[in-house]
Amino acid sequence: MMMHEGRIKAAFESGVFVLKLSGDVRLTLCATLDSQAQRLAETPGLTAVMVDLRDATNIDSTALGFLAKVAMALGGRLEQPPTIVVNNPDVRRMLDVMGFSHYYTLLEGPIKEPCELEELPELPSDEDDLRDRILEAHRILMRMNKHNREQFQPLVEMLEAQSGD
């Protein structure tokens, strides 16, 4: 099976922010995801956030950590939790196990098809930057539930040892 390069698109229209992840979304895209989380935290007039994962074939745990960060960056500013649109059963199962339903409403289809999405450039990261992001992502995931804490503890400890944090 051909793995498609991960891509992120975004749109912001009348208070609704849409983030669409396609293909194989992995840690190389975290800097981009992180900048979106920060952008959302600062966006005035935001009423809803939708993450569209229908075209995502795979999402690694680092990218998931930053999706969690997106929800946390919103910090209760929205009337309803952000939504994730997901119809891939494997991705859905992963989100369920990792506790995403506490932070997002998980839907099979979008409320309405978003407007034109603009492709976001992949922000460059050097090795140290990437390691810090992987560490941050997994610390976030570990805060979400017991399953994640047990699963990611060894990785986090290894990365902490490497970064001398």
Side-chain angles (χ1 to χ4, degrees), residues 138-151:
H138 290 86
R139 281 176 177 152
I140 291 171
L141 291 172
M142 281 172 70
R143 290 207 303 266
M144 287 169 76
N145 66 22
K146 185 170 176 283
H147 163 271
N148 296 355
R149 207 162 39 248
E150 289 166 358
Q151 190 167 1

Side-chain angles (χ1 to χ4, degrees), residues 6-164:
R7 290 164 51 208
I8 301 180
K9 292 180 173 184
F12 183 59
E13 187 190 15
S14 52
V16 181
F17 186 85
V18 179
L19 206 52
K20 183 177 179 68
L21 279 55
S22 327
D24 187 13
V25 182
R26 28 184 87 241
L27 53 90
T28 46
L29 290 169
C30 302
T32 310
L33 276 174
D34 196 17
S35 78
Q36 293 306 304
Q38 285 161 13
R39 179 178 155 193
L40 283 176
E42 293 152 14
T43 302
L46 192 62
T47 57
V49 173
M50 182 178 106
V51 179
D52 186 348
L53 299 181
R54 287 173 299 165
D55 295 342
T57 48
N58 176 58
I59 304 175
D60 78 4
S61 55
T62 303
L64 285 171
F66 279 95
L67 282 185
K69 184 177 180 175
V70 165
M72 291 169 189
L74 297 167
R77 282 177 45 214
L78 305 176
E79 282 173 33
Q80 65 258 46
T83 54
I84 288 182
V85 180
V86 55
N87 54 12
N88 175 322
D90 296 337
V91 175
R92 171 72 196 241
R93 199 162 33 245
M94 194 162 58
L95 293 173
D96 283 335
V97 167
M98 287 195 174
F100 271 78
S101 55
H102 293 292
Y103 296 88
Y104 283 95
T105 304
L106 303 175
L107 304 172
E108 297 242 326
I111 303 145
K112 70 179 192 62
E113 277 303 328
C115 42
E116 275 304 294
L117 294 163
E118 147 204 15
E119 181 108 22
L120 299 177
E122 188 178 308
L123 300 175
S125 318
D126 61 23
E127 210 170 306
D128 285 347
D129 181 50
L130 261 180
R131 186 175 54 224
D132 291 347
R133 287 183 198 280
I134 295 170
L135 193 52
E136 179 188 4
H138 290 86
R139 281 176 177 152
I140 291 171
L141 291 172
M142 281 172 70
R143 290 207 303 266
M144 287 169 76
N145 66 22
K146 185 170 176 283
H147 163 271
N148 296 355
R149 207 162 39 248
E150 289 166 358
Q151 190 167 1
F152 300 123
Q153 186 78 41
L155 176 68
V156 165
E157 285 172 2
M158 183 187 82
L159 290 167
E160 284 171 344
Q162 282 176 11
S163 66

